[in-house]
């Protein structure tokens, strides 16, 4: 089945130690998103790629970076994780084209713990 | 960031009961989406609505796109224990252009007592 895959599902890192989360998709969608979700809150968009074009949200800290080496893969890099970065990180995809433009499909998420 | 007003915030019901939740906005939207999120998992798309007045069903779920384009509701009929989770509405505004950005509701936590 076509899907959005996130690895790892659980990640533990130390305060200040860089961490990379990965997302891959078999949907062949041209838009990929990274969201941060804290407990009992809605997902918060960090940035997205439309093909290779990177779009950063104005309030996304510089500590968060992203790479999209090809259509299928997208990475979230947290350069110096702080305790406040502990959260669920969600990857999503969408297909830009007519009405499917707005439907986003989410992966299962990576739960990040910062010690 | 901007959020949609979603109500109720939480619901605790008995198995077999019907459930209704809604989202309202001060802005016009051209798309309404309803997602369900299980604990520790990502949101799963339940229903997508694209036209004012549109009424769409997916099994026991029914959602409607409000005529004013500023609201949407989701109904679940004959609830079962696996309906437990957080339900989010999400909207995409007119003139969203290249941003493709969804605005999420605050979520409704649903608990179903067997």
């Amino acid at each position: 089945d076509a899907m959005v895959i996130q690895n790892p599902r659980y990640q533990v890192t130390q305060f200040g130690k860089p961490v990379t989360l990965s997302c891959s998709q078999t949907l062949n969608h041209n838009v990929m998103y990274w969201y941060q979700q804290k407990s009992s809150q809605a997902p918060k968009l960090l940035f997205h790629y439309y093909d290779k074009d990177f779009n950063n949200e104005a309030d996304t800290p510089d500590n968060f970076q992203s790479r999209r080496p090809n259509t299928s893969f997208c990475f979230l890099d947290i350069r110096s994780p702080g305790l406040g970065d502990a959260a669920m990180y969600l990857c999503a995809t969408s297909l830009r084209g007519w009405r499917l433009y707005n439907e986003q499909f989410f992966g299962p998420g990576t739960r990040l713990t910062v010690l | 960031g901007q959020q949609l007003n979603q109500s109720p915030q939480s619901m605790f019901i008995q198995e077999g009961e019907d459930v209704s939740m809604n989202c309202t906005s001060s802005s016009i939207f051209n798309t309404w989406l309803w997602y369900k999120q299980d604990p520790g998992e990502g949101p799963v798309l339940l229903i997508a609505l694209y036209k004012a007045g549109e009424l769409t069903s997916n099994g026991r779920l029914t959602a409607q796109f409000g005529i004013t384009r500023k609201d949407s509701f989701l109904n679940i009929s004959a609830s079962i224990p696996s309906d437990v989770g957080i339900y989010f509405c999400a909207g995409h505004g007119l003139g969203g252009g290249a941003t493709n950005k969804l605005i999420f509701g605050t979520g409704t936590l649903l608990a179903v007592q067997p």
Side-chain angles (χ1 to χ4, degrees):
Chain A
D1 286 343
M3 56 174 49
V4 182
I5 302 162
Q6 290 189 245
N7 285 306
R9 294 293 313 275
Y10 301 91
Q11 177 73 57
V12 180
T13 190
Q14 292 179 333
F15 182 94
K17 184 175 181 182
V19 66
T20 295
L21 310 181
S22 72
C23 177
S24 63
Q25 52 123 345
T26 60
L27 298 162
N28 205 30
H29 284 177
N30 50 7
V31 192
M32 295 186 77
Y33 311 78
W34 279 105
Y35 288 85
Q36 179 192 65
Q37 186 180 30
K38 296 193 175 180
S39 182
S40 302
Q41 296 182 18
K44 177 181 182 300
L45 183 64
L46 296 173
F47 27 57
H48 75 276
Y49 276 94
Y50 170 40
D51 290 328
K52 289 188 177 294
D53 293 333
F54 177 70
N55 298 272
N56 198 32
E57 292 299 298
D59 57 354
T60 298
D62 292 340
N63 197 26
F64 292 87
Q65 303 286 320
S66 185
R67 296 169 284 134
R68 189 179 185 186
N70 54 53
T71 300
S72 301
F73 286 87
C74 196
F75 299 98
L76 171 63
D77 300 309
I78 308 177
R79 296 192 295 186
S80 182
L83 297 178
D85 297 328
M88 173 76 91
Y89 289 87
L90 296 164
C91 174
T93 72
S94 69
L95 180 64
R96 184 166 185 176
W98 197 43
R99 67 167 29 190
L100 294 177
Y101 182 76
N102 299 329
E103 295 180 11
Q104 293 186 20
F105 298 90
F106 286 83
T110 296
R111 170 72 63 186
L112 177 68
T113 300
V114 182
L115 302 177
Chain B
Q2 183 182 357
Q3 283 189 321
L4 298 170
N5 295 317
Q6 188 171 344
S7 65
Q9 188 174 9
S10 59
M11 303 181 72
F12 299 89
I13 63 170
Q14 295 288 325
E15 182 176 2
E17 289 184 25
D18 295 343
V19 170
S20 184
M21 60 191 77
N22 68 83
C23 265
T24 60
S25 170
S26 57
S27 305
I28 290 173
F29 285 90
N30 65 356
T31 302
W32 284 97
L33 306 174
W34 284 93
Y35 288 90
K36 177 178 183 259
Q37 187 172 24
D38 291 333
E41 299 292 333
V44 174
L45 182 62
L46 299 173
I47 292 179
L49 302 160
Y50 289 95
K51 189 176 177 181
E54 181 181 356
L55 185 71
T56 297
S57 293
N58 178 7
R60 293 178 296 106
L61 278 62
T62 301
Q64 185 158 28
F65 193 139
I67 291 291
T68 65
R69 293 181 171 266
K70 293 183 178 181
D71 62 347
S72 177
F73 72 76
L74 175 70
N75 286 344
I76 305 172
S77 62
S79 58
I80 59 179
S82 62
D83 291 334
V84 164
I86 300 178
Y87 291 79
F88 288 102
C89 64
H92 191 275
L94 292 172
T99 64
N100 213 23
K101 183 175 178 176
L102 286 180
I103 307 301
F104 279 87
T106 47
T108 295
L109 172 65
L110 178 63
V112 180
Q113 178 74 32

